[in-house]
Amino acid sequence: MNSPTFESPIPILPLRSGVLLPEGTMTLTVGRERSLALVQALKPGQLVGIVTQIDPRVEDPVVSDFHAVGTLARLTKSTKSGTAGEALRVTVEGLSRFSVDRVVAYEPFLEAVGHAVLEENGNTPEAKVLAEELVDALKQVPRTKALDEADRWISKPGALADKVASLLGVESNKALEVLVTADVPQRLRKLLALVYEQKELGELRQKIGEDVRREFSKNQREHLLREQMRAIRKELGEEKEDGLERLREKLEKANLPDEAKEVVAREFSRFEQSGGQGAEATVIRTYLEWIAALPWSAQAKTKEDIDAISAKLDEDHFGLEDVKQRILEHMAVRKLSKSERGTILCLVGPPGVGKTSLGESIAAATGRPFVRVSLGGVRDEAEVRGHRRTYVGAIPGRILHGLRKAGVNNPVMLLDEIDKLSQQWGAAAESALLEVLDPEQNKTFTDHYLELPFDLSQVFFLCTANTLDTLSAPLRDRLEIVELTGYTAPEKQAIAVRHLLPRRLLQSGIPEGALTITDDAILDVITKYTREAGVRQLDRELTRIARHVALDVARKKDDSEIRVRIDEPQVEQILGKPKYRNEVRERTSVPGVATGLAWTPVGGGILFIETSRTKGKGKLEITGQLGDVMKESARAALTFVKGHADELGFAAEILEDADLHIHVPAGGIPKDGPSAGVTIFTALASLLSGRRVRSDTAMTGECTLRGRVLPVGGIKSKVLAAHRAGITRVILPRDNERDLDDVPADVRSQIEFILADDMRKVLEAALESDAIPSDVARSASEASPVD
């Protein structure tokens, strides 16, 4: 069909959006004033120019606001739109392309003069081949209206392209590309690309529809089966409350924060979309159950009576007055400040002194649940902060486990053995504790599994450790250290009578009054069968005595009451030969042996420094699995002794033809530290001068090359160890005098303390005044049980 030409003006109808193509039809809603005037002035069958605006927001467009090519159309129908206002609905039929040259009138509507845009290469073989290929391509597009019309237009390639484009309903920008393309083969290539795109979209849409229908059918079937099962249970009288509804009710009652509520709503939606079946549904349900089980707002009603807390601590623990005082001060600050935030206590001391039981007493006295979290051997951050839900079998960390067990968000949580965290993986678990134990950060503690902030500021945290050496500096900085050093023999005796023995008799089923143990017998158990800072070994020995008595009670055949009295001889019969004896006098009976005091994570202890001299070439041998610091102390001691040979009463020349050997027994135990320096100096001076070290004397302190005595740590533990070993004289650095205030008064009254700042004073106090002949010393050494 030939495109009409025109010389007289034609009315112009601008479109905000949409494109009318030749051979296509379009129904428009007309509402603008000029457009209404145009439609009302035309009659069906008259021509109108349809153009598309570049910017749809322009209300009164001019020529520059139109795209370059429009469509000359015929008005076929005009009706009222049926909507509010004066809008009309018109139907137009596209005839040919045209271009507006100029607008000749703006009122009452637009009129313009233009020219037709003629097609190019419309009858070429290339155009015909592309038209046939377009028809074949349409056959592969499912359910398209364009295929029904295509066969009639195959002889007109240009019109075919316009007809197919209008029937495909392509986007406006792509329809504009088709409209402005006058070259027919090029237009057909664009249509082919659009048809292939429609084909791929149709196949994808069909596949998605099939998948949706299949999944819907599966879910519908499962839903019907579950409904049938519920109806069957109801008929059988076995209907149970829906677990999901119970979970929903628990979450509603949990008083969750807003962020948690949003997460719960999202997870419930995912759960319902999954149909409640499959692996993902199980993971979601477990996650929701964990959120419901945590105490987001539940709190235990706490007691703040300081006197009641003090009475409970005294009832459960004998001694430890300094520790109890510090705990009471901590509780008083929390009470007066009305704030749960504050410092976090770390109880540091040897095993068996009551660190864990102190936490239990605090919980009982304050009315809070007690939760113990053991950290010994924990090596992975996930143990503290949980595993992410992307892992199979993921669970929250130990902190949230403890809170779930407590059921409230303000329990007493004891982080036990914090110094035993594994160091294999770069202390990742220890690093995870930095947020937990920081009062400024733990308000928003985030577990990896939960991925929600949980407020830990209400938790009363306590930590226990045997030593602080393995803790990193950032973690120690978050803790307030409270040291528990150990018990004296009278304190252990009181603990045994008040706590340990009644508990063991009750557990053994021995009737009240059936067993009597004398005070001397208990003291015998303490001094001859235990050598510890705490009371754990003492508890074991008392348990053995209780079992022995329980056997006698169980063998009784008559109804007469059995009465057992245990004194010192019976203790040895039950427990066997004493495990410990006073070996200080035996070891120091020859020159060259000195008694030192040492600190270990399990409490204070004594150690012996032994020296000997043999013929040789002046070499120094050091054994006993000593660290570098102790080896350096030994070399410094030898240099000091050589330099003061005249004062010590021997000729320095004798060392040129002799080898010296320094040995510290218990070679299977690593030993290091500077506090044995004074003892090594004294042992060498004793060996070379022939003067024995007093058997009632022990010592500690670091010594310089020039003989100056420097202070060391752990004085209280060391003095208590000396007291347990029966030592009555202790030599200490003068600068450690202030530490004697920490030693119990009854121990201070039984020990003579010599404070020294120079090795001359140490040797004066430690060595006997008279030297013994070398042959006597050799004879004594052979007779004494020195290893």
Side-chain angles (χ1 to χ4, degrees):
M1 162 178 188
N2 294 326
S3 299
T5 59
F6 54 92
E7 296 179 357
S8 59
I10 61 172
I12 302 297
L13 178 64
L15 303 182
R16 294 182 187 269
S17 61
V19 178
L20 175 65
L21 290 167
E23 310 301 337
T25 59
M26 178 182 289
T27 301
L28 310 172
T29 300
V30 178
R32 285 187 283 188
E33 184 177 349
R34 288 178 179 173
S35 300
L36 285 172
L38 183 150
V39 172
Q40 291 171 352
L42 293 182
K43 296 180 180 180
Q46 289 186 293
L47 299 180
V48 61
I50 306 295
V51 293
T52 303
Q53 293 180 199
I54 298 174
D55 186 354
R57 293 171 297 180
V58 176
E59 185 67 25
D60 296 319
V62 296
V63 174
S64 59
D65 294 322
F66 304 150
H67 283 285
V69 179
T71 303
L72 187 64
R74 179 185 294 109
L75 179 66
T76 60
K77 187 178 181 181
S78 175
T79 59
K80 290 186 178 180
S81 65
T83 59
E86 300 296 330
L88 296 175
R89 291 180 64 83
V90 295
T91 302
V92 291
E93 177 184 348
L95 300 177
S96 63
R97 291 169 175 78
F98 87 105
S99 178
V100 176
D101 293 333
R102 69 181 187 280
V103 176
V104 296
Y106 284 94
E107 299 297 340
F109 48 81
L110 291 176
E111 289 185 282
V113 175
H115 64 274
V117 178
L118 301 177
E119 291 183 347
E120 301 174 3
N121 305 316
N123 295 319
T124 63
E126 181 185 8
K128 294 179 181 180
V129 171
L130 287 172
E132 293 174 356
E133 187 174 349
L134 177 60
V135 173
D136 292 338
L138 285 172
K139 295 178 181 178
Q140 302 176 32
V141 178
R143 295 185 302 275
T144 176
K145 296 179 182 179
L147 181 62
D148 300 334
E149 305 284 344
D151 290 335
R152 294 188 296 138
W153 298 86
I154 193 169
S155 59
K156 302 175 182 179
L160 173 65
D162 292 337
K163 191 66 176 180
V164 171
S166 61
L167 291 175
L168 283 178
V170 296
E171 299 174 0
S172 296
N173 58 339
K174 294 180 180 180
L176 276 171
E177 292 181 9
V178 173
L179 180 64
V180 300
T181 304
D183 186 78
V184 175
Q186 186 177 353
R187 192 190 311 165
L188 287 168
R189 286 190 178 91
K190 291 182 179 181
L191 259 298
L192 274 171
L194 292 175
V195 169
Y196 287 132
E197 180 181 341
Q198 290 289 328
K199 173 189 172 184
E200 292 178 1
L201 289 176
E203 291 175 351
L204 180 60
R205 193 177 296 111
Q206 183 177 1
K207 182 178 181 300
I208 293 174
E210 291 175 355
D211 292 342
V212 170
R213 285 192 297 274
R214 189 183 304 110
E215 187 66 25
F216 177 77
S217 300
K218 177 183 175 183
N219 293 339
Q220 188 178 37
R221 178 175 177 273
E222 291 176 354
H223 175 73
L224 292 174
L225 289 174
R226 283 195 293 271
E227 291 296 327
Q228 291 174 0
M229 290 175 63
R230 189 176 292 110
I232 292 172
R233 290 196 197 100
K234 184 176 181 180
E235 291 297 326
L236 294 174
E238 298 177 355
E239 185 178 19
K240 298 180 180 179
E241 186 180 359
D242 185 22
L244 188 60
E245 290 303 318
R246 291 200 305 271
L247 177 59
R248 195 188 299 271
E249 292 176 4
K250 287 178 64 177
L251 288 166
E252 291 175 355
K253 296 177 181 178
N255 194 20
L256 302 176
D258 293 339
E259 185 175 352
K261 289 180 180 178
E262 293 177 4
V263 172
V264 167
R266 184 177 67 244
E267 294 299 322
F268 255 116
S269 176
R270 291 179 57 207
F271 183 83
E272 291 171 350
Q273 289 176 5
S274 68
Q277 303 296 320
E280 184 181 7
T282 302
V283 170
I284 296 173
R285 181 158 188 159
T286 303
Y287 176 70
L288 292 173
E289 288 173 349
W290 261 104
I291 294 179
L294 289 175
W296 295 90
S297 59
Q299 289 190 350
K301 187 175 181 181
T302 59
K303 305 172 186 176
E304 298 182 340
D305 189 343
I306 302 298
D307 292 335
I309 297 174
S310 176
K312 181 62 177 176
L313 292 175
D314 290 337
E315 177 186 346
D316 294 344
H317 297 84
F318 182 84
L320 304 177
E321 299 302 329
D322 293 342
V323 178
K324 294 176 184 176
Q325 179 69 18
R326 180 63 194 89
I327 292 173
L328 292 177
E329 291 171 356
H330 184 80
M331 299 304 299
V333 170
R334 294 171 73 99
K335 175 183 178 180
L336 295 177
S337 65
K338 301 298 182 182
S339 173
E340 295 291 340
R341 298 189 180 189
T343 57
I344 294 173
L345 299 181
C346 180
L347 308 179
V348 181
V353 295
K355 300 185 294 295
T356 302
S357 58
L358 275 171
E360 295 175 349
S361 298
I362 293 173
T366 57
R368 300 168 180 248
F370 177 75
V371 179
R372 176 179 170 270
V373 178
S374 178
L375 298 177
V378 172
R379 63 180 184 178
D380 192 356
E381 176 200 12
E383 293 284 341
V384 178
R385 301 180 69 98
H387 302 77
R388 297 194 181 278
R389 282 191 289 158
T390 53
Y391 295 101
V392 176
I395 56 174
R398 298 194 180 196
I399 302 299
L400 292 190
H401 268 278
L403 288 170
R404 179 179 182 177
K405 179 180 179 182
V408 295
N409 65 4
N410 62 338
V412 173
M413 183 171 290
L414 181 75
L415 303 180
D416 209 6
E417 308 292 354
I418 196 173
D419 58 324
K420 304 300 189 303
L421 288 167
S422 175
Q423 304 293 319
Q424 296 179 358
W425 288 23
E430 183 181 282
S431 301
L433 287 176
L434 297 179
E435 181 184 6
V436 176
L437 298 179
D438 191 335
E440 301 300 325
Q441 298 181 24
N442 61 14
K443 186 176 179 65
T444 56
F445 170 73
T446 302
D447 186 274
H448 286 160
Y449 178 84
L450 203 65
E451 292 184 337
L452 288 170
F454 193 94
D455 186 2
L456 297 181
S457 62
Q458 308 295 319
V459 180
F460 189 119
F461 283 106
L462 280 174
C463 304
T464 69
N466 297 131
T467 177
L468 298 175
D469 295 343
T470 59
L471 298 185
S472 64
L475 185 56
R476 286 201 306 269
D477 184 59
R478 284 163 167 78
L479 305 175
E480 181 166 345
I481 308 302
V482 180
E483 294 189 6
L484 291 79
T485 51
Y487 299 106
T488 63
E491 289 175 334
K492 289 184 179 181
Q493 188 172 13
I495 292 171
V497 173
R498 296 185 184 183
H499 302 286
L500 303 181
L501 194 57
R503 188 186 307 159
R504 296 310 167 203
L505 293 179
L506 180 63
Q507 291 180 353
S508 300
I510 299 174
E512 186 177 355
L515 174 63
T516 302
I517 302 180
T518 64
D519 291 344
D520 290 339
I522 293 178
L523 191 59
D524 225 28
V525 175
I526 294 170
T527 57
K528 295 182 180 180
Y529 295 89
T530 67
R531 188 65 63 85
E532 58 175 348
V535 293
R536 194 164 288 161
Q537 184 61 34
L538 174 60
D539 192 21
R540 295 191 189 100
E541 301 300 335
L542 294 176
T543 302
R544 291 178 61 189
I545 294 175
R547 287 201 303 264
H548 180 83
V549 176
L551 180 59
D552 292 340
V553 174
R555 282 177 171 172
K556 181 175 62 67
K557 297 181 179 180
D558 54 15
D559 296 333
S560 60
E561 294 184 0
I562 186 171
R563 300 288 182 182
V564 179
R565 176 183 173 84
I566 295 179
D567 52 19
E568 295 168 85
Q570 280 75 38
V571 169
E572 187 167 341
Q573 293 176 8
I574 298 172
L575 301 182
K577 294 181 179 181
K579 298 179 181 178
Y580 304 99
R581 57 189 172 87
N582 190 346
E583 58 181 342
V584 177
R585 186 178 300 277
E586 297 175 354
R587 294 239 185 179
T588 58
S589 61
V590 294
V593 182
T595 306
L597 299 175
W599 179 90
T600 68
V602 296
I606 63 172
L607 56 82
F608 296 96
I609 306 293
E610 300 178 348
T611 61
S612 67
R613 184 182 66 185
T614 59
K615 290 183 179 181
K617 298 181 180 181
K619 293 194 303 182
L620 176 64
E621 181 75 15
I622 305 172
T623 58
Q625 200 172 347
L626 307 183
D628 292 338
V629 176
M630 287 191 72
K631 290 179 180 179
E632 292 169 0
S633 297
R635 296 188 186 96
L638 179 58
T639 302
F640 175 83
V641 170
K642 286 180 179 180
H644 296 78
D646 294 340
E647 298 178 28
L648 297 174
F650 71 93
E653 291 77 11
I654 66 174
L655 295 176
E656 297 177 0
D657 300 325
D659 290 341
L660 295 180
H661 189 163
I662 300 177
H663 177 66
V664 183
I669 303 174
K671 296 170 280 292
D672 200 8
S675 62
V678 166
T679 313
I680 297 175
F681 275 59
T682 304
L684 279 175
S686 170
L687 173 70
L688 298 175
S689 66
R691 298 162 62 186
R692 291 179 297 191
V693 179
R694 293 184 54 165
S695 61
D696 61 350
T697 302
M699 61 202 73
T700 186
E702 182 180 359
C703 193
T704 68
L705 188 62
R706 298 187 178 276
R708 178 174 175 78
V709 179
L710 303 180
V712 292
I715 295 300
K716 182 179 179 181
S717 297
K718 293 175 179 178
V719 171
L720 291 177
H723 181 261
R724 288 194 295 269
I727 292 172
T728 58
R729 298 175 77 244
V730 174
I731 301 174
L732 299 174
R734 182 171 296 279
D735 289 342
N736 284 122
E737 181 178 7
R738 61 183 182 273
D739 298 319
L740 292 178
D741 293 338
D742 298 332
V743 179
D746 59 331
V747 175
R748 291 202 305 268
S749 65
Q750 299 176 44
I751 295 180
E752 176 189 355
F753 295 99
I754 298 96
L755 302 175
D757 52 12
D758 187 86
M759 274 306 300
R760 295 178 180 83
K761 186 169 183 178
V762 173
L763 297 178
E764 179 183 343
L767 300 181
E768 295 181 352
S769 58
D770 298 326
I772 62 174
S774 59
D775 56 342
V776 176
R778 189 179 303 108
S779 175
S781 176
E782 293 172 354
S784 64
V786 178
D787 296 336

